[in-house]
């Protein structure tokens, strides 16, 4: 009987240690970063990596829940901060009322987006055919903006959404772009029409 109790205790201890290791593995991104106590959830998927990329389709809403690992339903919500910035890795010039500006010169562009915040979530609503030109125009009070179409061709993700924990200790960045819902949904190739040049 003593051996059986010892066996059960050993199993419980091993199970507990295994559980602790599994939790640590999950919230350290496979032991490759510090333990995360703050993270995001989108469409049921936990976002634990510091930087992700997204393509938001016009006419749709995207909701994210903000979670704290050690928070239960009874705790007061800790909150978070959110802002959208230009992702100006590939900067460009544009003109407004005869004056030239740089995209990187725009600082906080959050107000150009339709974002609804609660204590523990946010939702970004992307209007149809909404893009970088609309954001720049909004930031200049609705004035007409001009720049060449080629200026933004290499900008795969022109916007940077930053979500920061209540104490500033953790931050998640979502690099994103916007695409039209009328965009390409598939490609069909008719083998009778393929022409090879020589």
């Amino acid at each position: 009987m003593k051996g059986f109790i010892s066996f059960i205790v050993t199993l419980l201890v091993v199970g507990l240690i295994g559980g602790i290791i599994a939790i640590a593995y999950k919230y350290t991104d496979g032991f490759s970063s510090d333990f995360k106590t703050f993270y995001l959830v989108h469409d049921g998927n936990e976002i634990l990596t510091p930087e992700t990329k997204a393509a938001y389709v016009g006419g749709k809403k995207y909701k994210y829940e903000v979670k704290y690992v050690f928070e239960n339903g009874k705790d007061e919500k800790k909150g978070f901060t959110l802002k959208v910035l230009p992702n100006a890795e590939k900067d460009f010039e544009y003109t407004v009322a005869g004056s030239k500006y740089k995209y990187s010169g725009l600082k906080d562009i959050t107000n150009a987006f339709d974002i609804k915040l609660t204590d523990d979530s946010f939702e970004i609503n992307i209007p149809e055919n909404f893009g970088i030109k609309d954001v720049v125009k909004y930031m200049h009070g609705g004035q007409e903006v001009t720049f060449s179409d080629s200026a933004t061709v290499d900008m795969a993700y022109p916007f940077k959404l930053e979500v920061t924990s209540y104490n500033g200790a953790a931050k998640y960045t979502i690099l994103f772009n916007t695409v039209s819902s009328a965009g390409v949904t598939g490609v069909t190739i008719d083998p009778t029409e393929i022409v090879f040049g020589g």
Side-chain angles (χ1 to χ4, degrees):
M1 183 69 169
K2 213 180 214 187
F4 179 72
I5 292 174
S6 178
F7 175 72
I8 295 296
V9 169
T10 303
L11 276 179
L12 289 173
V13 169
V14 168
L16 180 63
I17 292 170
I20 291 170
I21 291 171
I23 288 170
Y25 184 83
K26 177 179 179 178
Y27 292 107
T28 60
D29 201 17
F31 300 116
S32 64
S33 65
D34 291 338
F35 188 81
K36 293 180 178 57
T37 58
F38 167 76
Y39 62 100
L40 304 176
V41 177
H42 175 62
D43 284 341
N45 299 312
E46 293 176 349
I47 299 173
L48 297 166
T49 53
E51 185 175 284
T52 57
K53 295 177 179 165
Y56 296 143
V57 177
K60 295 194 174 191
K61 296 177 181 180
Y62 299 87
K63 185 173 183 176
Y64 291 82
E65 295 174 66
V66 176
K67 303 279 189 178
Y68 289 89
V69 173
F70 300 114
E71 184 176 67
N72 64 41
K74 297 174 188 171
D75 292 341
E76 182 178 325
K77 300 292 181 196
K78 293 180 179 171
F80 62 97
T81 59
L82 176 145
K83 62 183 171 182
V84 182
L85 305 167
N87 182 20
E89 288 179 356
K90 308 252 189 219
D91 207 3
F92 69 92
E93 272 190 356
Y94 60 91
T95 305
V96 178
S99 298
K100 291 192 180 291
Y101 298 90
K102 288 235 180 227
Y103 182 58
S104 60
L106 296 172
K107 299 302 176 204
D108 187 339
I109 58 175
T110 308
N111 290 336
F113 292 88
D114 179 7
I115 300 175
K116 292 181 178 41
L117 299 171
T118 68
D119 288 341
D120 59 359
S121 70
F122 64 92
E123 182 178 83
I124 183 166
N125 178 24
I126 304 296
E128 187 61 58
N129 299 316
F130 183 80
I132 193 166
K133 195 169 214 171
D134 301 294
V135 169
V136 174
K137 185 175 181 177
Y138 179 90
M139 296 308 294
H140 285 277
Q143 295 182 69
E144 199 54 43
V145 175
T146 57
F147 55 84
S148 69
D149 289 338
S150 63
T152 59
V153 167
D154 292 334
M155 296 181 77
Y157 301 97
F159 311 114
K160 183 179 358 181
L161 187 147
E162 292 183 348
V163 184
T164 307
S165 64
Y166 76 98
N167 60 1
K171 177 172 69 175
Y172 290 95
T173 301
I174 302 169
L175 302 176
F176 72 97
N177 62 17
T178 59
V179 295
S180 171
S181 64
V184 177
T185 58
V187 176
T188 304
I189 299 174
D190 183 352
T192 62
E193 296 297 320
I194 298 175
V195 178
F196 296 96

